[in-house]
Amino acid sequence: MKTRRWMATFVVALLSVIVVLAKDIRVVVFKVSQMHCENCEKKVKNNMRFEKGVKELSTELKDKTVSITYDAEKTDVKKLQAGFKKFNYEAEFVKETKQEGKKDGKQESQKEEKKADKK
């Protein structure tokens, strides 16, 4: 009886790990010409973080770019662009990349931080 319960628990845990690892996580970069000061940067961060599927968000004020890590099963580039229009900003698509085998964007950013620390 205990063996069956243990095996069932193991199978459920294994399947849940597989489902989590199979997510389609992508990173898209937008150029936002209206973002010219820290207040504009805050406005973008405060509004876009609530868009469905957004996992992580970073801005670069100098380049006027916004990088968004998102779950492609929940949203897409066009929906994210529409999110900018909700607060009267225009976002120009720059590029999109897919994160292979990542559970979320945090793992990728941690690797980048470790590389930067080594330098």
Side-chain angles (χ1 to χ4, degrees), residues 31-37 40-41 44 64 88-91:
K31 185 162 183 81
V32 183
S33 58
Q34 293 97 333
M35 193 171 69
H36 58 273
C37 65
C40 298
E41 190 175 30
V44 168
K64 297 184 179 185
N88 299 322
Y89 274 36
E90 290 292 323

Side-chain angles (χ1 to χ4, degrees), residues 20-67:
V20 168
L21 292 176
K23 285 195 174 202
D24 187 10
I25 305 297
R26 298 179 185 216
V27 178
V28 66
V29 178
F30 293 107
K31 185 162 183 81
V32 183
S33 58
Q34 293 97 333
M35 193 171 69
H36 58 273
C37 65
E38 288 180 17
N39 288 331
C40 298
E41 190 175 30
K42 285 180 186 177
K43 185 175 183 178
V44 168
K45 286 181 178 180
N46 288 337
N47 285 286
M48 291 305 293
R49 68 181 174 160
F50 293 112
E51 288 297 314
K52 185 175 183 178
V54 172
K55 300 286 185 190
E56 198 171 305
L57 173 70
S58 65
T59 58
E60 182 61 46
L61 189 57
K62 186 173 111 179
D63 298 333
K64 297 184 179 185
T65 58
V66 178
S67 298

Side-chain angles (χ1 to χ4, degrees), residues 107-117:
Q107 291 175 347
E108 183 67 24
S109 60
Q110 288 173 350
K111 284 184 181 180
E112 290 174 6
E113 288 173 9
K114 286 180 182 178
K115 286 180 184 178
D117 289 341

Side-chain angles (χ1 to χ4, degrees), residues 85-102:
K85 290 182 181 181
K86 289 178 184 176
F87 55 99
N88 299 322
Y89 274 36
E90 290 292 323
E92 179 184 331
F93 173 78
V94 176
K95 69 177 180 176
E96 181 181 35
T97 56
K98 183 176 180 178
Q99 288 188 344
E100 300 279 338
K102 302 288 188 270

